[in-house]
Amino acid sequence: MDYQKLNNALKDSCERESREFYRAIQDVERTQEEKLLTIIGDNELTLFGRRSKFEGVKSVEDFRSAVPITTYEDYEDYVTQIADGKENVLTRDKVLMLEPTSGSTSPSKFIPYTDSLKREFQQGIFPWLYDLLTNRPNVAKGSFYWSITPVTHKQERTSGGIPIGFGNDGDYFTEQQQRLIAQLSAVPFDVAKIQDIDEFRKQTLSYLVGNTELSFISVWNPTFLSLLLRPIDKPESLWPNLSLISAWADGNASFYVDELRRLFPNTEIQGKGLIATEGFVSFPLVDHAGSALSVNSHFFEFRDLDNKDNVRLAHELETGKEYEVVLTTGGGFYRYNLEDVVSVMGFKNQCPLVKFVGRNNNISDLFGEKLNEYHVSRAVSEAIRRTSLNPSFFMVAPEKIGDAPAYVLFIESDEHFDANSVVEDLDSKLQDNYHYRYCRKLGQLEKPKIFLIDKSSEKSASDIYLEENQARGKKIGNVKPATLSSQFGWSRKFKGRYVN
């Protein structure tokens, strides 16, 4: 197989979008305004466009006056109409399918996908691939393992005949690119049809072990790869030409990517940037800190964490500050608060370079304490790092133990540590949240506990966490590491004991 030739063809197919990106970052303000006005003009006569008076929107300020910042709940009625088969609801484009994802206030959200939204994703994916294949030429010398998500159930349709979920992970690419990737892939796409997870992993691993020319691995969750490779001792030795692994590396994933570095000490690991079901926010550039805002994908706004009324445009961001990301997309979500927090690392020409910090919408609220994952993640990280612990898994969730519930730090580690010290530190950091502190004073919440997960058990904590999420309908390859769960009962899922 002439992998170099195939990779060169794949790179060439991404060149146009790469050139467009580099033109765009010379004048981000103009690029973004043109993007917004195109979206508004295309959807002026939709149900949402008529209600929001899009015909009067001639500028960014007009748009911001016409449409408030929104959340998924603002779209539920529109999505229901789309699911029932009604057209011209949020977009003029026909809705190709509804992609399910987890919600913060509802069990599931259904995101409309259109041709326009697909092209917007490509405006981020293709410049990333072109940059990677250009600046890391060894990646192009061998085969790929592009994470294939197993299909855990048959594809369903809504009452109006709209497909639910992508047919396969290659749908983001053009037909030509899909043919190239199929030839480059070390694992046949048909493996995704295996519904039994153990058999899926067995078959995937068999194909990977049999392909010694592997040069590039792309997965979402780093634990997906480390768990897949657990039966192999020193996996790096199997693929001497492996040049780069692409995986989530920011936010909560930063703790789990360390395991990949241990397994592949001589292989470069590149973070993914920020990609959500609703939109494509940023992509990495070789040898740059942070990920480039995908300015040709959507119209972006950024809500200042210190002042929620201060909403900035892409060209107005400040290095070192943190913001919530707000999207307007060709999929029909307008001024949609993604509730992902990014930190601005710097700029590439006029393009912000951002780093994903955490989510602001994953909340646990039993008595009004309103703990959010962004705060909890920082509190846990500081408490753990003070002890020099390097756990293979950790998560905070509520449990009913004594007279009142307590938040429990579930941790998987075989290292010795002072549990009481970690608890005191964690409780102190959580009490930076006034509402949590008040609940503790009232006795509604007990002091945090630590549940030490048995590392010698047959299944690791990450295995169990992934399986539980899969049982709730999530794609196992797309499950993001989480520091906070609002659900009780994890002490019955994990094997282990309380240590304080």
Side-chain angles (χ1 to χ4, degrees), residues 433-463:
N433 175 334
Y434 165 80
H435 300 288
Y436 174 85
R437 184 168 68 251
Y438 187 64
C439 289
R440 287 278 289 111
K441 284 183 178 179
L442 291 179
Q444 292 173 311
L445 290 169
E446 298 279 2
K447 183 181 288 189
K449 304 289 184 182
I450 291 182
F451 187 97
L452 185 62
I453 300 169
D454 185 359
K455 204 169 182 182
S456 64
S457 61
E458 182 180 342
K459 290 185 178 180
S460 72
S462 293
D463 270 323

Side-chain angles (χ1 to χ4, degrees), residues 314-429:
H315 67 281
E316 298 173 330
L317 300 186
E318 296 179 35
T319 300
K321 293 209 68 173
E322 295 181 347
Y323 304 89
E324 279 183 333
V325 181
V326 177
L327 303 176
T328 295
T329 78
F333 281 9
Y334 305 93
R335 302 198 78 197
Y336 177 79
N337 189 354
L338 197 58
E339 295 178 310
D340 281 338
V341 177
V342 296
S343 175
V344 180
M345 309 295 289
F347 290 82
K348 170 77 171 177
N349 293 349
Q350 293 184 14
C351 179
L353 299 173
V354 299
K355 179 180 179 180
F356 173 64
V357 176
R359 293 189 60 77
N360 234 7
N361 72 337
N362 184 10
I363 293 172
S364 183
D365 191 16
L366 304 178
F367 306 106
E369 69 274 19
K370 295 181 174 64
L371 285 182
N372 71 68
E373 185 174 53
Y374 175 65
H375 175 215
V376 171
S377 179
R378 288 198 160 188
V380 174
S381 298
E382 289 180 23
I384 287 176
R385 282 179 174 143
R386 278 204 179 90
T387 64
S388 300
L389 264 175
N390 187 27
S392 50
F393 178 90
F394 64 88
M395 181 180 71
V396 171
E399 291 287 331
K400 182 71 166 67
I401 303 168
D403 294 333
Y407 280 94
V408 176
L409 174 58
F410 293 90
I411 190 166
E412 183 181 59
S413 176
D414 52 12
E415 301 170 275
H416 177 74
F417 63 96
D418 186 343
N420 290 326
S421 174
V422 172
V423 163
E424 292 295 335
D425 205 2
L426 177 60
D427 193 37
S428 173
K429 293 296 181 186

Side-chain angles (χ1 to χ4, degrees), residues 222 253-264 269 385 390-391:
S254 63
F255 286 90
Y256 302 109
V257 81
D258 286 342
E259 174 68 6
L260 292 188
R261 293 191 175 100
R262 186 188 67 79
L263 293 172
F264 298 93
I269 295 177
R385 282 179 174 143
N390 187 27

Side-chain angles (χ1 to χ4, degrees), residues 35-275:
K35 182 67 186 178
L36 172 65
L37 295 180
T38 297
I39 293 172
I40 297 304
D42 287 346
N43 299 298
E44 183 177 314
L45 299 179
T46 62
L47 177 60
F48 188 94
R50 292 195 305 272
R51 288 179 176 175
S52 301
K53 297 181 170 57
F54 278 4
E55 75 276 3
V57 173
K58 307 300 179 185
S59 68
V60 171
E61 288 311 311
D62 289 344
F63 175 63
R64 294 167 111 177
S65 297
V67 181
I69 289 178
T70 61
T71 64
Y72 182 76
E73 286 65 39
D74 296 303
Y75 296 96
E76 284 185 311
D77 179 59
Y78 294 104
V79 172
T80 297
Q81 293 184 57
I82 291 169
D84 288 341
K86 188 173 181 180
E87 297 185 354
N88 222 35
V89 177
L90 290 170
T91 59
R92 183 180 64 182
D93 274 7
K94 183 179 177 64
V95 173
L96 304 175
M97 59 93 179
L98 295 172
E99 176 68 4
T101 184
S102 57
S104 56
T105 59
S106 57
S108 291
K109 302 184 291 186
F110 292 92
I111 311 304
Y113 265 70
T114 63
D115 275 329
S116 292
L117 184 59
K118 179 178 176 178
R119 287 194 296 271
E120 289 175 352
F121 269 79
Q122 291 172 346
Q123 289 287 349
I125 296 169
F126 296 174
W128 163 64
L129 268 178
Y130 189 85
D131 177 78
L132 182 64
L133 292 169
T134 299
N135 294 297
R136 290 292 184 265
N138 286 338
V139 168
K141 293 181 178 179
S143 59
F144 283 9
Y145 171 51
W146 204 293
S147 173
I148 300 168
T149 302
V151 178
T152 55
H153 56 273
K154 293 181 179 179
Q155 189 177 56
E156 300 174 351
R157 290 181 178 267
T158 68
S159 60
I162 306 295
I164 297 176
F166 278 113
N168 63 70
D169 292 350
D171 285 349
Y172 287 113
F173 296 93
T174 67
E175 290 184 5
Q176 177 212 5
Q177 290 168 334
Q178 288 183 46
R179 288 193 295 270
L180 290 169
I181 291 171
Q183 294 178 78
L184 285 163
S185 180
V187 179
F189 291 163
D190 282 350
V191 169
K193 297 176 182 178
I194 301 172
Q195 296 190 24
D196 181 82
I197 293 300
D198 290 335
E199 183 62 23
F200 166 80
R201 285 176 172 160
K202 179 181 175 182
Q203 291 287 339
T204 299
L205 196 56
S206 176
Y207 280 112
L208 287 174
V209 169
N211 192 307
T212 58
E213 296 184 81
L214 193 68
S215 62
F216 175 58
I217 292 175
S218 176
V219 297
W220 296 110
N221 192 332
T223 62
F224 176 83
L225 183 59
S226 57
L227 291 172
L228 178 67
L229 300 177
R230 180 181 292 168
I232 300 176
D233 185 37
K234 298 181 179 178
E236 193 174 51
S237 64
L238 292 176
W239 304 296
N241 298 320
L242 184 60
S243 178
L244 187 139
I245 297 173
S246 169
W248 285 326
D250 296 332
N252 298 327
S254 63
F255 286 90
Y256 302 109
V257 81
D258 286 342
E259 174 68 6
L260 292 188
R261 293 191 175 100
R262 186 188 67 79
L263 293 172
F264 298 93
N266 301 304
T267 301
E268 181 178 359
I269 295 177
Q270 183 187 62
K272 282 283 187 193
L274 176 53
I275 306 170

